[in-house]
Amino acid sequence: MSSLDVPLTLLDPEGGWINAPVHVHDLRGRPTLLYFWSELSQTNEQQLPKIKTLLDEFLPKGLQVVGVHVPMAGEDLEHALDTNDIEAIVKRMGFRHPVAVDDGSMEQAYGVNDVPTFLVYDAFGILRFRVSGEDALNVELRRILERLTGPEANTGAFAP
């Protein structure tokens, strides 16, 4: 399976949801950013304010966003599924989008090996872009979000 063959098929994480659950059928018709992060990752601690800035720019343009909090390797799963810490971070950051508290099943289903990881889907649920690691919030991610939320997004002119 190539890195662009992962379908948008949200699972029901064992840990539940913060802000509201979301189902795949709710995401059709608009571009979707699915991003994986962990409260214990130093990279994510530095990235969360940058993610907030990105979301503040693209949410008003029609981007749907789903965050997925994943357990770190070696982390106690009971702690990883405790929504209190995660919800506090989500509230502190001012995130209003749905955040799944993953037991590792979503991480595995989407082939995520590093945090942060960003997967960008078009309005038809086709994965158009995937990026991971420290430099994940890069110019190309912004460029693809601009294309998917801009005027050409609904013309059928988008090509990967």
Side-chain angles (χ1 to χ4, degrees), residues 66-130:
V66 178
V68 182
H69 179 272
V70 298
M72 294 292 286
E75 181 181 4
D76 175 52
L77 193 56
E78 187 174 326
H79 175 265
L81 296 178
D82 181 358
T83 59
N84 292 330
D85 288 343
I86 302 158
E87 187 170 19
I89 293 168
V90 167
K91 285 185 184 214
R92 184 181 80 233
M93 295 305 303
F95 292 153
R96 304 215 186 296
H97 58 275
V99 176
V101 180
D102 187 27
D103 60 351
S105 59
M106 290 180 71
E107 180 181 32
Q108 183 177 7
Y110 286 97
V112 172
N113 297 316
D114 195 7
V115 288
T117 291
F118 297 89
L119 289 82
V120 181
Y121 290 86
D122 67 15
F124 304 101
I126 298 170
L127 182 62
R128 296 296 185 170
F129 187 71
R130 176 189 196 108

Side-chain angles (χ1 to χ4, degrees), residues 117-158:
T117 291
F118 297 89
L119 289 82
V120 181
Y121 290 86
D122 67 15
F124 304 101
I126 298 170
L127 182 62
R128 296 296 185 170
F129 187 71
R130 176 189 196 108
V131 64
S132 298
E134 279 185 49
D135 298 325
L137 287 168
N138 61 31
V139 173
E140 188 61 27
L141 174 62
R142 178 173 296 285
R143 190 173 302 135
I144 197 92
L145 292 175
E146 286 171 353
R147 289 182 71 195
L148 288 172
T149 59
E152 69 181 41
N154 295 322
T155 65
F158 184 88

Side-chain angles (χ1 to χ4, degrees), residues 5-109:
D5 288 340
V6 181
L8 183 58
T9 54
L10 290 179
L11 306 174
D12 192 12
E14 183 70 29
W17 291 88
I18 296 169
N19 290 336
V22 68
H23 302 282
V24 174
H25 66 272
D26 298 330
L27 301 175
R28 296 288 187 237
R30 291 186 9 215
T32 301
L33 173 65
L34 184 62
Y35 74 94
F36 292 80
W37 64 286
S38 174
E39 69 170 317
L40 299 182
S41 168
Q42 286 185 338
T43 299
N44 279 282
E45 185 68 29
Q46 299 162 358
Q47 297 280 345
L48 285 175
K50 295 176 184 177
I51 293 169
K52 173 74 168 124
T53 299
L54 189 76
L55 300 184
D56 287 347
E57 179 179 348
F58 287 100
L59 281 169
K61 296 178 180 180
L63 181 69
Q64 299 179 109
V65 177
V66 178
V68 182
H69 179 272
V70 298
M72 294 292 286
E75 181 181 4
D76 175 52
L77 193 56
E78 187 174 326
H79 175 265
L81 296 178
D82 181 358
T83 59
N84 292 330
D85 288 343
I86 302 158
E87 187 170 19
I89 293 168
V90 167
K91 285 185 184 214
R92 184 181 80 233
M93 295 305 303
F95 292 153
R96 304 215 186 296
H97 58 275
V99 176
V101 180
D102 187 27
D103 60 351
S105 59
M106 290 180 71
E107 180 181 32
Q108 183 177 7

